[in-house]
Amino acid sequence: MPTTLEAKTPRLVTALPGPNAKRVLEQDAKFMSPSYTRDYPLVAKRGHGAIVEDVDGNAFLDFAAGIAVCSTGHCHPKVVAAIQKQAAELIHMSGTDFYYESMPQLAERLALTMPGSEAKKMFFTNSGTEAVEGAMKLARYATKRDKMIAFYGCFHGRSMGALSLTASKSTQRKGFGALLSGIEHIPYPYAYRCAHGHTAETCGAEILEQLEGQIFKRLFDPEDVAGIIIEPIQGEGGYVVAPNFFLQELQRICRQHGIMLIVDEVQSGMGRTGKWWAHEFAGIEPDILCSAKGIASGMPLGAIVAKESVMRWKPGSHGTTFGGNPVCIAAALATMELIDNEYKENARRMGEYLFARMAQWTKNYKIVGDVRGRGLMIGIEIVRDQRTKEKAADLRNAIVDLAFHKGLLLLGAGENTLRLSPPLLIDEEQADFALHTLEECFRETEKKI
Ligand SMILES: Cc1ncc(COP(=O)(O)O)c(C=O)c1O
């Protein structure tokens, strides 16, 4: 009999939340910031692969991966060994003021994943937010301009600069006063809800017209725009995929006006889509890329990757105490090797497997409006009525909760979308469990409406 963690599928042994979980929830309610957004009472104790065990011994199948972070699964032995070895040798030095050999090693490794022939330079951060914040500073510095264009629905982080680019949910901005000026948001190409009736390949032509014909003529002279930042696949916004032509056209517009094209691949990168980066599907070559989340399997690391011709800021113009800490870098080097050798290909293969099985869902379930994504970045949009496409946030939330009680960990994205972002190592048995559980949840939810 396998132990709970060795099992590949869930095993629930108490009612949820169990007695130990209840104790933690009480303490948490007393001491923790109420700004956190917990959807259900999972109190994690340990994890292995795609399985998470809670404080009461219940084992769950994790299709959330700590918000798309645990790319190589929980506590992969090779990542753990790399962290332990590095922690025993050198924990911190600060790459801002000193050198250590793993830092340029990881930078070289990351550069190899980037398309295009131009050399790349890196700056390591502690988070996705910091990568975005630094990317915006870099775009301003490199162009000597200060305006930015971003997209509705995109999430780029919560520091004042990154939050000014974020236009995901108004609660994320409400109460914090004036943000950065000089930022305009334009619609994101959202094929399922395309106002012009376009397909997933053609949606967005009117948005580009608006950018060139309205924004650049009436608001910002393009010669004043430092950067356009976009998630090639919206994460928090609902796992919406930008069409290839749209990204290609953005690149053309950026090149025409000397604007930095910044791709935020904090969520969509590191092999999750079956390629290192989601923007590779469009064959573009961004000027600046932001990475974090899956890069170090859960250790706090982010990266700004830029063309060498762009990252030419002077010593002292940007820095960090912790960013690119040796332990995080060791985890990232081990993570990248695993993704390269196995998990990128597995994400592609398992993505195909899941999409093939989900192909009929919009026909079989009246609350499933759309199934979309790439690789293991999959969004399922829940609607009250397929014809009107009325968003059903309450039903989506009910499904997330129901799935938890059946042992499957999910997160929502956007107003009414289920997000599937499992570790990149899942196998067919685990995919089958998730599919079967989701179908059960759909059937039970449909019976109640
Ligand atoms: C696309 C994207 N950019 C930036 C961030 C911010 O990253 P972090 O939470 O690591 O600061 C996130 C986090 O969800 C994200 O999904």
Side-chain angles (χ1 to χ4, degrees):
M1 178 111 167
T3 67
T4 315
L5 280 181
E6 279 162 357
K8 287 217 260 159
T9 48
R11 188 190 303 161
L12 301 182
V13 294
T14 70
L16 297 175
N20 292 328
K22 279 188 182 150
R23 191 176 34 77
V24 178
L25 297 177
E26 266 171 40
Q27 193 184 20
D28 191 281
K30 242 192 222 161
F31 293 109
M32 295 309 299
S33 159
S35 62
Y36 294 122
T37 50
R38 280 71 167 261
D39 285 333
Y40 46 83
L42 171 78
V43 182
K45 170 94 173 167
R46 54 183 149 241
H48 176 75
I51 295 291
V52 172
E53 191 184 306
D54 78 357
V55 283
D56 294 291
N58 297 298
F60 299 84
L61 179 63
D62 188 2
F63 262 51
I67 330 186
V69 167
C70 301
S71 46
T72 60
H74 292 275
C75 303
H76 192 291
K78 288 189 175 162
V79 176
V80 172
I83 292 171
Q84 285 173 335
K85 181 167 178 290
Q86 186 58 50
E89 209 167 274
L90 181 73
I91 292 178
H92 177 74
M93 198 62 212
S94 191
T96 292
D97 284 323
F98 302 98
Y99 300 97
Y100 36 95
E101 67 181 338
S102 59
M103 210 179 209
Q105 252 170 28
L106 178 63
E108 185 173 7
R109 185 74 201 72
L110 268 172
L112 287 174
T113 66
M114 291 287 294
S117 54
E118 194 181 322
K120 307 292 185 300
K121 292 232 162 169
M122 323 278 144
F123 181 98
F124 292 118
T125 68
N126 304 287
S127 67
T129 298
E130 279 180 53
V132 168
E133 193 79 27
M136 177 162 48
K137 283 177 70 181
L138 179 61
R140 283 177 164 213
Y141 192 99
T143 58
K144 299 187 175 58
R145 308 168 177 184
D146 68 352
K147 306 282 184 278
M148 296 284 299
I149 307 284
F151 290 83
Y152 287 119
C154 280
F155 183 90
H156 299 294
R158 295 172 186 269
S159 60
M160 290 308 241
L163 182 61
S164 307
L165 298 170
T166 291
S168 184
K169 296 189 180 107
S170 57
T171 36
Q172 292 158 352
R173 291 172 154 240
K174 189 173 165 31
F176 299 116
L179 298 175
L180 273 192
S181 61
I183 296 173
E184 279 297 320
H185 289 90
I186 55 177
Y188 191 90
Y190 190 171
Y192 177 61
R193 296 184 180 278
C194 181
H196 304 277
H198 288 298
T199 66
E201 282 75 45
T202 60
C203 176
E206 291 76 10
I207 298 167
L208 296 164
E209 276 169 32
Q210 182 189 347
L211 176 63
E212 292 189 288
Q214 301 290 333
I215 307 268
F216 285 172
K217 294 230 161 73
R218 302 181 198 286
L219 291 175
F220 294 163
D221 186 300
E223 309 297 308
D224 290 336
V225 177
I228 298 182
I229 183 163
I230 186 163
E231 289 177 84
I233 303 178
Q234 261 186 10
E236 302 305 301
Y239 278 28
V240 185
V241 183
N244 290 340
F245 98 92
F246 189 84
L247 296 173
Q248 290 155 2
E249 278 296 286
L250 271 189
Q251 174 169 274
R252 177 191 62 74
I253 293 168
C254 284
R255 288 190 176 166
Q256 184 183 342
H257 300 291
I259 298 169
M260 298 289 106
L261 178 59
I262 307 171
V263 292
D264 180 346
E265 294 248 26
V266 166
Q267 191 150 172
S268 57
M270 297 314 291
R272 176 153 296 282
T273 60
K275 294 187 189 287
W276 276 114
W277 310 108
H279 74 264
E280 287 178 65
F281 287 92
I284 59 167
E285 192 185 342
D287 300 298
I288 306 175
L289 174 142
C290 303
S291 175
K293 285 198 189 281
I295 192 171
S297 297
M299 294 298 282
L301 184 71
I304 306 168
V305 182
K307 290 180 175 167
E308 193 274 337
S309 59
V310 171
M311 193 174 272
R312 291 197 174 162
W313 40 17
K314 292 214 161 31
S317 53
H318 199 57
T320 164
T321 298
F322 291 122
N325 167 289
V327 184
C328 299
I329 288 195
L333 285 166
T335 298
M336 287 192 74
E337 194 173 320
L338 288 164
I339 293 176
D340 213 11
N341 291 345
E342 295 175 61
Y343 296 148
K344 183 157 56 70
E345 172 54 21
N346 194 58
R348 189 197 60 74
R349 204 173 54 79
M350 292 311 300
E352 252 177 42
Y353 182 80
L354 283 162
F355 276 110
R357 297 276 307 273
M358 296 185 298
Q360 295 302 312
W361 279 8
T362 53
K363 293 199 178 63
N364 297 349
Y365 302 102
K366 58 180 193 280
I367 59 170
V368 176
D370 192 27
V371 179
R372 58 184 176 243
R374 294 195 197 277
L376 291 178
M377 188 168 187
I378 302 170
I380 303 162
E381 186 155 343
I382 304 298
V383 293
R384 197 166 307 283
D385 177 334
Q386 285 187 339
R387 199 181 40 83
T388 63
K389 301 186 180 176
E390 184 188 331
K391 296 176 182 175
D394 55 338
L395 302 184
R396 188 277 309 273
N397 296 345
I399 292 168
V400 169
D401 190 62
L402 205 52
F404 168 62
H405 284 90
K406 293 174 186 292
L408 178 66
L409 303 181
L410 297 175
L411 281 171
E415 281 175 71
N416 59 318
T417 297
L418 292 166
R419 108 171 75 182
L420 307 191
S421 59
L424 309 184
L425 49 56
I426 55 159
D427 63 13
E428 288 182 11
E429 185 184 344
Q430 292 171 323
D432 287 343
F433 179 87
L435 291 164
H436 171 77
T437 304
L438 279 163
E439 292 198 80
E440 252 180 36
C441 291
F442 297 151
R443 279 194 293 272
E444 288 176 35
T445 306
E446 286 191 348
K447 264 194 217 141
K448 289 188 201 138
I449 51 173

